[in-house]
Amino acid sequence: MTIQHALLGLLRTQPLSGYDMKKAMLRSPLFHWSGNNNQIYRARAELEARGLVEARIHPGDAGPIKKLYTLTEGGLAELHRLTRSFPDAPELRKPFLAQLMLGDALTQPEMEALLEQYRGEVYGASLLLPGDAFAPDVTPYEAAIQALVIDNLRQCYQAELAWIERVREEMKNVYL
Amino acid sequence: MTIQHALLGLLRTQPLSGYDMKKAMLRSPLFHWSGNNNQIYRARAELEARGLVEARIHPGDAGPIKKLYTLTEGGLAELHRLTRSFPDAPELRKPFLAQLMLGDALTQPEMEALLEQYRGEVYGASLLLPGDAFAPDVTPYEAAIQALVIDNLRQCYQAELAWIERVREEMKNVYL
DNA sequence: ACCGACATGTAAGCTGTTACATGATTCC
DNA sequence: GGAATCATGTAACAGCTTACATGTCGGT
């Protein structure tokens, strides 16, 4: 899954401008890319050079000059191929685990404070997930996939919050 | 959590050579860094420049020339500070979710094949986790932390495998 | 008139990866 | 003698981030 793959995927359902792609990257928890201009514009340029996307300029419309990109035949074929390509393993980056594991021993109040801060971080992240029916006019297939994907992420955050409670409980025994 | 933070943490309990650090990075699921030389040697050099670690060369011993690094007073203080610093939110990179969500519609056999491949990837990753008591001579505090951290990761993989089964079930209804 | 959102792009620098280069020791 | 592991380092490149630079449009 490269950023180019992600951009092709975004263009599958509707044409987008570079700015739209940037917003989608920033909003969606599905993408780990920062959504900064440089990266998106370079990836977009390369897709264009490979003939996978095409720009249609809309100068006549009200609003600033805007380039709307659409998939070409080649782009659709490439997306088809990528959709069926070998799936990447999930990558779980949990720096807090390393922080606990590699650090020196915390006192009970210090541990309490850290856990509470972490709970806040995780809870905050969970709130950024889109609610259930976030796209109305989709096929049953797409609706099912969307529900399952959101569910996957929601469960991850739920499990993390439950783990924090478990740490609180377990550490009580350690601190006497 | 930077790579420098991680290296300080690794040196808390025992002195290590650069090669040891590299192996630790490669083995442990706690670190998302690749463990390549360039990165570790640069980070190590900077820690040395900041006076947080010290090298003691062991040329007399049998074996190739080896630099063993230890934490200085400053290094210990920095680790103490980092251990209590604001925890980073977990970062969940699950490219497979994007692959499903952004791709075109899969037939049932295609979906089956992808899920089976993904299950293999996830299961493989789960096998790399260390078993329970992987460090014998530790304090009750350290033992508790280690158990909780491993448990966190194990649960993540377990939940992912359960989710895959759920996708299989749910998609049955979609495919009729 | 100003501010925030929309919109496109570039420059500089930092981080990370792959590959290269060298050499010692241990085991077969 | 050859291969695997231990051990340290460098070079070239790819990827990512922060900041800069420019301009439009709509609302207050």
Side-chain angles (χ1 to χ4, degrees):
Chain A
M1 170 70 54
T2 64
I3 192 169
Q4 294 188 22
H5 181 171
L7 293 182
L8 287 176
L10 285 173
L11 292 177
R12 181 176 63 91
T13 49
Q14 80 285 104
L16 294 175
S17 68
Y19 189 69
D20 295 331
M21 298 175 197
K22 177 183 175 148
K23 275 192 302 179
M25 287 277 169
L26 285 170
R27 260 205 326 269
S28 172
L30 248 44
F31 307 115
H32 59 263
W33 298 282
S34 72
N36 72 87
N37 288 349
N38 203 324
Q39 199 174 14
I40 286 178
Y41 282 96
R42 253 193 301 139
R44 203 197 29 56
E46 192 159 335
L47 286 175
E48 210 173 357
R50 288 171 61 197
L52 303 181
V53 304
E54 269 176 357
R56 275 176 288 157
I57 296 151
H58 283 227
D61 301 357
I65 301 120
K66 190 171 176 172
K67 291 188 198 171
L68 279 178
Y69 289 88
T70 23
L71 292 184
T72 62
E73 287 291 312
L76 250 158
E78 176 70 359
L79 183 60
H80 183 87
R81 204 182 58 71
L82 287 170
T83 305
R84 284 146 190 84
S85 65
F86 198 90
D88 294 328
E91 236 182 286
L92 307 170
R93 299 191 173 191
K94 304 196 173 189
F96 183 57
L97 298 185
Q99 188 171 343
L100 281 183
M101 189 93 152
L102 299 173
D104 52 1
L106 298 163
T107 66
Q108 187 154 27
E110 285 172 338
M111 177 65 83
E112 242 340 290
L114 264 193
L115 287 174
E116 188 48 30
Q117 289 173 341
Y118 187 54
R119 203 195 56 74
E121 286 287 286
V122 174
Y123 184 67
S126 79
L127 290 182
L128 296 179
L129 291 180
D132 259 323
F134 55 97
D137 54 345
V138 293
T139 65
Y141 174 89
E142 283 174 319
I145 293 286
Q146 285 175 16
L148 284 162
V149 165
I150 300 291
D151 202 48
N152 180 303
L153 295 174
R154 188 150 44 211
Q155 273 204 0
C156 281
Y157 288 118
Q158 216 63 45
E160 198 69 13
L161 292 171
W163 178 80
I164 294 169
E165 286 314 310
R166 209 136 42 73
V167 176
R168 278 204 238 265
E169 287 306 312
E170 290 289 321
M171 293 312 285
K172 269 183 196 164
N173 304 325
V174 173
Y175 288 119
L176 244 298
Chain B
M1 170 70 55
T2 64
I3 191 167
Q4 293 188 20
H5 181 170
L7 292 183
L8 287 176
L10 285 174
L11 292 177
R12 180 176 63 91
T13 49
Q14 79 285 104
L16 294 175
S17 69
Y19 189 70
D20 295 330
M21 298 175 197
K22 177 183 176 148
K23 275 192 303 180
M25 287 277 169
L26 284 170
R27 262 205 325 270
S28 172
L30 248 44
F31 308 115
H32 60 263
W33 298 281
S34 70
N36 72 88
N37 289 349
N38 203 327
Q39 199 173 13
I40 285 177
Y41 281 96
R42 253 192 298 142
R44 201 198 29 56
E46 193 158 334
L47 286 176
E48 210 174 356
R50 289 170 62 198
L52 303 181
V53 303
E54 269 176 355
R56 272 175 290 157
I57 296 153
H58 283 227
D61 301 357
I65 301 119
K66 189 170 175 173
K67 292 189 197 170
L68 279 179
Y69 289 88
T70 23
L71 292 183
T72 62
E73 287 293 312
L76 250 157
E78 176 69 359
L79 183 61
H80 184 86
R81 204 182 59 70
L82 286 170
T83 304
R84 285 146 190 84
S85 66
F86 199 91
D88 294 329
E91 236 182 285
L92 308 170
R93 299 190 172 191
K94 302 197 174 190
F96 183 56
L97 298 185
Q99 189 171 343
L100 281 183
M101 189 94 152
L102 299 173
D104 52 2
L106 298 164
T107 65
Q108 187 154 27
E110 285 172 338
M111 178 64 83
E112 241 340 289
L114 264 193
L115 287 175
E116 188 49 28
Q117 289 173 342
Y118 188 53
R119 201 195 57 74
E121 285 288 286
V122 174
Y123 184 67
S126 78
L127 289 182
L128 296 179
L129 290 181
D132 257 323
F134 56 97
D137 54 343
V138 293
T139 65
Y141 174 88
E142 283 173 319
I145 293 286
Q146 285 174 16
L148 284 161
V149 165
I150 300 289
D151 201 49
N152 180 302
L153 295 173
R154 189 150 43 211
Q155 273 205 359
C156 281
Y157 288 118
Q158 217 63 48
E160 198 71 12
L161 292 172
W163 178 80
I164 293 169
E165 287 314 310
R166 210 137 40 74
V167 176
R168 278 203 239 266
E169 287 306 311
E170 290 288 322
M171 292 311 284
K172 270 183 194 161
N173 304 326
V174 173
Y175 288 119
L176 246 300

